[in-house]
RNA sequence: GCGCCCGUAGCUCAACUGGAUAGAGCAACGGCCUUCUAAGCCGUAGGUUGUGAGUUCGAGCCUCGCCGGGCGCGCCA
């Protein structure tokens, strides 16, 4: 007999099905927890699903199934309701048994093996290291971290990865911006380009360079801007000319400035994320793909496969053959590979590392990018279905009912660090995953930082703190937590106690569902429901009653609630204080 | 213009992947602190799920057409 109650009921139905409709004995049995209490603890719709195939009234099929249902010591009664639902009501002790399970399994309760130890890579954030992370990155970070924890908890072997764009033009722009600020410290007046990085952190890096190496990189204003087109007429060309001049004038030293800016910004982002509870196993360098020749090799492979053609001096990938809207350039007229080319190489590298599943977490503005990447993988004979892209919509910050802007280049943005400082890590992590990821997020600053009952994160933490308080007092009165596992659970019969127990029992199902849907918000909503059930019970019934056996049973239930809140909040990266 | 995503209570969002009478929180209104934390609880009110059709035992979810919003359509990343 199956330990899991849901599996147990499915087995009962399967047995009945075998005699009622032998030809359809392999019909998958779906069991759900009805929203309405009067519909019992579990409902099956198998009779309705078979109605067409058997050409019979669903209620009639349901009746036959119920007649053939093997007896079970855990089932109180079975009803047929509605259009043909089979509703199971469990015996009280079958419901409360979960308390012992939770206390026995502790932090492992809810852990699942559906992932089958398969290797999955989750790549997220991957912001250009050209400045501080902002609130948009924060959502990707919170979502990716929670999703990774969730998948690990569901039995996947998870690798968390950050793709470092250390090879492109954006890094060059950051480096030249730093250099120009450095020159400014020596009163070398070069007009700062409007499309350079304006933030104060660039001046900070310039000062660091000066402090460490004095005037080693000092050059004259005239040679810095030599030959550059007018900013007004061609601002991108102007900037590119400044970069080219810098590379010429500095020679080997250019790579020092470049490297310094990169490592500073990367380290800053890393610290920021670690403080946010977001950890990565791998920091993968885009530049390494060029250094190892993988980018060139990929393009070569595509060429050999007949997927490339030359037009206007550039090499194009025929992505339209794989469902893309238009073909895409992989190698420019000037010989440089595009970002797309290195991304193909990156994804091929991912697949070569043997992941069973690869999940990219991208901003929603990249959705048009998916077909070409999948197309390229297909062209390289890879199973592109292993790649799953989770799009995260923008987070819009509201302060006093007004939007806050987020442009990295202008330097006028709210950073993740500012946000964390203002509302705290817990509220941040929780608010970010309180929405479906593909839903726009209105992040209400005033609400997130309010210490009132309007703030949902405290609601759950408060339930946890209440349990801690009860347990503390129970212990001080002579209770021993070690005895809780042996509590007499048959004493738990109050409807609110059974409701809490049912909620606890649903936790593993929530984990499986949330992991399958890549939807950590389901965990957040579950925790709100669990906290609500507990608060409701807490208000209705006293736990530390005089009857010692009863008190022990109730405390055991409360302790199980605390454990599940803790397990769930840990997945979301939110702390659970013992007192508030 | 073409493609993708979205539209659910006054506001912010759920809805077990097609199931029963569409649910929470906030805001509004009315109650509950001499007893384990009132950051809490109990109750009332709030809806033609943008709209019109279609598919079937059954649609917020699937199909198509409109209306409204977001994003994308670079030899940028």
């Amino acid at each position: 007999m199956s330990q899991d109650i849901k599996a147990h009921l499915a087995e009962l139905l399967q047995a009945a099905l075998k005699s009622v409709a032998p030809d359809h004995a392999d019909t998958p049995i779906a069991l759900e927890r009805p929203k309405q209490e009067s519909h019992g603890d579990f409902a099956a719709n198998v009779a309705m699903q078979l109605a067409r195939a058997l050409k019979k009234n669903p209620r009639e099929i349901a009746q036959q199934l119920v007649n053939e249902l093997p007896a079970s010591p855990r089932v109180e009664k079975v009803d047929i309701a509605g259009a043909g639902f089979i509703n199971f009501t469990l015996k009280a002790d079958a419901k409360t048994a979960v308390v012992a399970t939770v206390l026995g399994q502790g932090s492992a309760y809810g852990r699942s093996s559906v992932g089958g130890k398969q290797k999955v890579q989750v790549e997220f954030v991957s912001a250009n290291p050209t400045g501080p992370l902002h609130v948009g990155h924060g959502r990707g970070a919170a979502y990716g971290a929670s999703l990774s924890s969730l998948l690990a908890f569901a039995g996947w072997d998870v690798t968390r990865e950050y793709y470092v764009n250390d090879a492109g033009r954006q890094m060059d722009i950051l480096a030249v911006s730093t250099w120009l600020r450095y020159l400014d410290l020596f009163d070398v007046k070069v007009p700062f380009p409007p499309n350079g990085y304006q933030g104060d952190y660039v001046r900070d890096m310039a000062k660091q360079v000066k402090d460490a190496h004095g005037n080693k990189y000092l050059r004259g204003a005239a040679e810095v801007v030599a030959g550059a087109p007018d900013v007004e007429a061609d601002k991108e060309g102007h900037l590119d000319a400044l970069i080219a001049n810098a590379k010429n004038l500095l020679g080997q030293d250019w790579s020092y400035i470049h490297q310094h800016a990169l490592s500073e910004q990367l380290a800053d982002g890393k610290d920021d994320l670690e403080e946010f509870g977001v950890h990565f196993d791998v920091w993968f360098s885009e530049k390494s793909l060029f250094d190892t020749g993988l980018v060139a090799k990929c393009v070569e492979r595509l060429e050999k496969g007949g997927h490339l053609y030359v037009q206007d001096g550039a090499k194009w990938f025929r992505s339209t053959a794989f469902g893309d809207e238009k073909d895409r350039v992989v190698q420019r007229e000037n010989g440089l590979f595009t970002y797309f080319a290195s991304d193909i190489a990156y994804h091929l590298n991912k697949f070569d590392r043997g992941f069973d599943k690869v999940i990219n977490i991208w901003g929603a503005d990249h959705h048009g990018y998916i077909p070409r990447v999948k197309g390229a993988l297909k062209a390289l004979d890879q199973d592109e279905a292993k790649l799953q892209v989770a799009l995260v919509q923008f987070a819009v910050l509201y302060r006093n009912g007004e939007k806050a802007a987020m442009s990295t280049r202008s330097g006028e943005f709210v950073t993740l660090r500012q946000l964390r400082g203002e509302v705290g890590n817990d509220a941040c992590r929780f608010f970010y995953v309180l929405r479906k990821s593909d839903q726009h997020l209105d992040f209400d600053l005033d609400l997130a930082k309010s210490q009132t009952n309007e703030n949902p994160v405290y609601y759950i933490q408060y339930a946890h703190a209440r349990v801690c308080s009860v347990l503390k007092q129970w212990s001080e009165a002579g209770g021993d937590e070690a005895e809780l596992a042996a509590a007499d659970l048959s004493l738990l019969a109050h409807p609110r106690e059974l409701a809490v127990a049912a909620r606890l029992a649903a936790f593993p199902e929530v984990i499986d569902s949330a992991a399958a849907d890549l939807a950590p918000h389901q965990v957040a909503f579950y925790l709100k429901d669990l906290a609500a059930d507990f608060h409701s019970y807490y208000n209705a019934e006293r736990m530390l009653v005089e009857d010692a056996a009863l008190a022990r049973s109730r405390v055991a239930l409360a302790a199980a609630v605390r454990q599940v809140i803790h397990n769930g909040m840990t997945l979301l990266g939110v702390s659970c204080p013992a007192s508030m």
Side-chain angles (χ1 to χ4, degrees):
Chain A
M1 189 173 84
S2 188
Q3 186 69 35
D4 176 33
I5 186 69
K6 204 169 162 182
H8 173 63
L9 296 178
E11 282 167 15
L12 297 181
L13 282 166
Q14 218 117 42
L17 202 54
K18 214 171 263 179
S19 55
V20 173
D23 295 346
H24 299 90
D26 56 346
T27 305
I29 309 281
L31 281 156
E32 59 180 30
R33 295 177 182 272
K35 294 168 205 158
Q36 266 198 77
E37 239 173 273
S38 61
H39 294 150
D41 298 301
F42 284 95
N45 64 350
V46 63
M48 283 134 78
Q49 287 178 328
L50 286 173
R52 191 190 308 235
L54 297 179
K55 290 184 178 150
K56 273 193 203 165
N57 183 322
R59 282 193 72 106
E60 196 181 318
I61 299 169
Q63 188 57 57
Q64 289 177 341
L65 286 172
V66 170
N67 290 345
E68 296 298 324
L69 215 53
S72 165
R74 296 154 85 176
V75 176
E76 174 79 34
K77 61 168 179 164
V78 182
D79 298 310
I80 297 166
F85 287 99
I86 300 173
N87 293 340
F88 293 89
T89 302
L90 302 179
K91 293 208 163 141
D93 58 355
K95 293 193 220 182
T96 55
V98 69
V99 172
T101 306
V102 172
L103 295 179
Q105 297 183 3
S107 60
Y109 178 70
R111 192 173 278 283
S112 149
S113 57
V114 287
K117 294 184 180 166
Q118 293 181 84
K119 289 180 64 179
V120 59
Q121 183 212 44
V122 182
E123 183 223 317
F124 59 112
V125 186
S126 300
N128 284 338
T130 52
L133 298 169
H134 56 64
V135 294
H137 299 127
R139 186 176 189 190
Y143 173 69
S146 297
L147 176 62
S148 297
S149 301
L150 185 57
L151 289 172
F153 203 55
W156 291 82
D157 178 5
V158 182
T159 298
R160 299 150 170 90
E161 186 154 321
Y162 188 119
Y163 183 52
V164 182
N165 297 116
D166 51 4
R169 178 168 177 262
Q170 295 307 320
M171 273 311 304
D172 283 340
I173 295 174
L174 179 70
V176 82
S177 298
T178 306
W179 188 50
L180 292 175
R181 292 305 191 198
Y182 166 86
L183 295 176
D184 188 56
L185 294 172
F186 293 96
D187 280 327
V188 174
K189 294 300 178 192
V190 176
F192 197 84
N195 45 352
Y197 287 101
Q198 314 272 349
D200 287 341
Y201 63 94
V202 180
R203 293 179 191 274
D204 294 342
M205 290 193 294
K207 185 147 192 318
Q208 288 164 8
V209 172
K210 185 189 174 190
D211 290 348
H213 297 102
N215 65 357
K216 185 176 178 187
Y217 312 106
L218 184 57
R219 300 292 187 278
E223 45 186 355
V224 174
V225 296
D230 184 63
V231 195
E232 299 295 327
D234 179 7
K235 97 181 157 176
E236 298 302 329
H238 177 81
L239 189 54
D240 284 334
L242 293 186
I243 292 168
N245 286 346
K247 286 181 178 174
N248 281 331
L249 292 167
L250 291 171
Q252 285 294 348
D253 288 340
W254 165 258
S255 65
Y256 166 75
I257 304 270
H258 191 281
Q259 189 56 41
H260 179 78
L262 170 67
S263 57
E264 277 298 309
Q265 292 313 309
L266 212 49
D268 181 67
K270 207 170 190 166
D271 288 349
D272 200 3
L273 291 165
E274 285 289 344
E275 284 172 23
F276 197 33
V278 178
H279 167 78
F280 289 91
D281 305 304
V282 178
W283 295 75
F284 194 96
S285 158
E286 179 189 9
K287 189 166 172 291
S288 73
L289 294 168
F290 289 99
D291 294 346
T292 58
L294 189 61
V295 178
K297 217 177 297 173
C298 267
V299 171
E300 217 169 284
R301 265 179 74 175
L302 288 170
E303 198 153 31
K304 277 189 186 143
H307 301 292
L308 300 188
Y309 62 90
V310 176
Q311 187 183 308
D312 302 329
K315 276 185 189 165
W316 296 71
F317 169 55
R318 197 175 282 107
S319 53
T320 47
F322 302 95
D324 198 6
E325 291 173 0
K326 55 202 301 192
D327 294 339
R328 311 290 175 176
V329 171
V330 290
Q331 192 170 14
R332 290 177 226 159
E333 194 179 2
N334 62 13
L336 294 177
F337 293 108
T338 59
Y339 173 85
F340 177 44
S342 54
D343 224 17
I344 295 171
Y346 180 40
H347 281 85
L348 186 63
N349 172 280
K350 288 186 182 191
F351 276 50
D352 283 348
R353 279 187 270 165
F355 292 110
D356 298 294
K357 193 199 271 206
V358 168
I359 298 174
N360 291 353
I361 297 175
W362 284 350
D365 54 334
H366 283 64
H367 68 80
Y369 200 72
I370 299 170
R372 79 190 75 163
V373 172
K374 290 207 167 201
L377 284 168
K378 206 168 182 182
L380 292 170
D381 302 316
Q382 304 297 310
D383 177 10
E384 84 280 2
K386 287 198 287 192
L387 171 65
Q388 206 169 345
V389 180
L391 296 177
V392 178
Q393 293 284 350
F394 290 119
V396 181
L397 211 56
Y398 284 85
R399 190 193 296 277
N400 303 323
E402 282 182 19
K403 283 188 185 180
M406 289 190 288
S407 157
T408 313
R409 209 72 68 77
S410 71
E412 291 169 17
F413 51 85
V414 178
T415 65
L416 175 60
R417 198 173 259 119
Q418 287 169 339
L419 181 70
R420 293 194 296 104
E422 192 168 338
V423 313
N425 284 328
D426 283 343
C428 263
R429 286 290 300 260
F430 194 79
F431 266 65
Y432 271 133
V433 297
L434 200 52
R435 301 275 171 273
K436 261 194 304 210
S437 59
D438 58 2
Q439 201 77 244
H440 287 271
L441 170 63
D442 291 338
F443 198 118
D444 186 339
L445 263 173
D446 307 306
L447 175 62
K449 66 182 179 186
S450 73
Q451 300 270 325
T452 70
N453 58 355
E454 294 171 34
N455 195 336
V457 69
Y458 297 122
Y459 185 77
I460 299 164
Q461 290 181 324
Y462 186 52
H464 182 272
R466 273 182 153 175
V467 178
C468 289
S469 175
V470 169
L471 266 155
K472 188 165 168 244
Q473 290 170 62
W474 182 71
S475 296
E476 282 166 3
D480 180 358
E481 284 200 38
E483 311 171 354
L484 289 178
D488 181 1
L489 301 175
S490 70
L491 300 176
L492 299 174
H494 191 285
R496 285 197 163 90
E497 289 167 339
L498 298 181
V500 171
R503 188 75 70 182
L504 292 172
F507 184 61
E509 297 159 27
V510 171
I511 294 300
D512 284 353
S513 165
D517 291 355
L518 312 184
H521 78 275
Q522 290 180 14
V523 176
F525 277 90
Y526 167 82
L527 291 172
K528 274 169 55 170
D529 288 340
L530 174 61
D533 288 337
F534 176 74
H535 283 309
S536 181
Y537 169 52
Y538 180 93
N539 263 271
E541 293 292 316
R542 192 176 163 77
M543 288 165 208
L544 301 178
V545 290
E546 289 205 13
D547 180 340
L550 181 59
R552 189 169 66 168
S553 303
R554 290 180 170 175
V555 169
L557 178 65
V561 169
R562 179 180 67 167
Q563 183 69 59
V564 173
I565 289 178
H566 181 269
N567 293 4
M569 291 291 249
T570 301
L571 294 176
L572 302 182
V574 182
S575 72
C576 295
S579 68
M580 291 173 69

